[in-house]
Amino acid sequence: MPGQINESSGMQATASGGPVPRADGPTPAPSAPSAPNDAAVQRAAAVDEELIRLYPDAGCTLDHDGPFQLLVATVLSAQTTDARVNTITPGLFARYPDAAALAGADRADLETRLRPLGMHHTRAARLIALGAELVAAHGGAVPADRKALVALPGVGRKTANVVLGNAFGMPAITVDTHVGRLSRRLGWTTAHDPLAVERDLAALWAPERWTDGCHRLIMHGRTVCRARAPRCEACVLNAAGLCPRVGV
C-alpha cells in the first residue's frame, strides 16, 4: 500500500494514517498532492519490479560501516561523487573513528585528508561541527530521527533520508538528481522541488519500496536514462510500455 510523508514526526506513515553551511538545506513544504489512482499506483509498482530484475543488487554506493560513517560520508558527498568520497574515507575513519575524535580533529590534518574532494576548508569545518554536535546533543551517537538529524550541521533532508533508510532500515525516499529526473520522465511528478517529488513518489510506492527503489532509479539514471542522452532504445521500461517519456 502506498505511503505518505509525515512531516511532524519526520517518519513515514501508511496511507491510513557563524553557522557551518548545510550540504542540502531545508526545503519549504509544498501543498500535499492529491492521491493517485489505482492504475498509476500499479504502474509505478510495475516499474520498480522491472528495475528489481535489472538491478538486483542496487544499494548505497557510499562505503560505510554503521550510521556514523554513513552520515559523514553522505555529508561529504555534496558536490562530488560517491566514488571520490570512497577514496578518502578509509583513511579518514581510521584516524577519526567516532564523533568525539572528529570533534577534536586537528584542523590542518583534516583539511589535508579532504583536499581531494574540493572545498576542503568548508568540509573540515562542517565535519568538526558535526562531530561536536553529535557529542553534545546525542552522546556521540547518530540519532535515528529525521528532525534530530536535520538539526545537525551540514545535514539536510536528503542526507537524513539516506541515513534513515540505509543505516537504520527505516523507509525513506532520497531525491537526488536522478530520482527527480526519472520521476518526471515517468510521469510520476511534475515537480522540481525535492520534497514535492518525495511526496509524489511516496503516494505511488509502498514504503517497503522507498529506500531500495530510489537506489534502483539512481542506477537506471546513471546507466540508461541519462540527463543529456537517454538510451530509450535500450530501456526495459520503454520496451515494457511503462515509460511515457515525458520531456524526452
Side-chain angles (χ1 to χ4, degrees), residues 34-239:
S34 58
N37 59 43
D38 290 345
V41 170
Q42 292 169 8
R43 192 180 190 90
V47 166
D48 192 43
E49 290 300 319
E50 288 286 346
L51 295 181
I52 287 171
R53 286 187 282 273
L54 190 59
Y55 309 109
D57 300 318
C60 182
T61 54
L62 287 167
D63 295 339
H64 66 281
D65 180 12
F68 172 73
Q69 289 191 8
L70 181 56
L71 175 61
V72 171
T74 307
V75 169
L76 289 176
S77 70
Q79 296 180 296
T80 189
T81 65
D82 290 0
R84 187 172 291 275
V85 171
N86 290 340
T87 66
I88 66 100
T89 47
L92 178 69
F93 294 136
R95 178 65 180 85
Y96 305 109
D98 54 34
L102 194 60
D106 178 83
R107 179 70 172 264
D109 174 72
L110 188 57
E111 289 182 355
T112 298
R113 293 175 184 276
L114 299 178
R115 186 181 297 272
L117 304 182
M119 303 187 298
H120 54 286
H121 300 301
T122 298
R123 294 184 194 276
R126 183 176 290 152
L127 290 194
I128 290 171
L130 174 61
E133 185 63 16
L134 284 171
V135 171
H138 304 286
V142 176
D145 175 81
R146 185 179 290 113
K147 184 176 180 180
L149 282 168
V150 298
L152 296 169
V155 179
R157 185 180 183 90
K158 183 171 74 172
T159 294
N161 283 355
V162 170
V163 173
L164 291 173
N166 295 280
F168 293 111
M170 300 168 59
I173 294 171
T174 300
V175 179
D176 74 344
T177 56
H178 299 292
V179 172
R181 181 177 71 254
L182 268 66
S183 294
R184 287 186 290 275
R185 286 179 175 174
L186 287 162
W188 293 350
T189 185
T190 59
H192 288 262
D193 174 83
L195 182 53
V197 175
E198 182 182 343
R199 283 178 166 168
D200 288 342
L201 188 46
L204 288 166
W205 270 352
E208 57 266 25
R209 295 187 186 275
W210 290 3
T211 301
D212 288 341
C214 288
H215 290 314
R216 292 185 281 270
L217 287 176
I218 290 168
M219 287 292 295
H220 201 59
R222 287 173 175 167
T223 59
V224 178
C225 194
R226 298 177 298 205
R228 295 184 180 178
R231 299 170 56 223
C232 297
E233 74 286 352
C235 179
V236 298
L237 303 180
N238 186 42

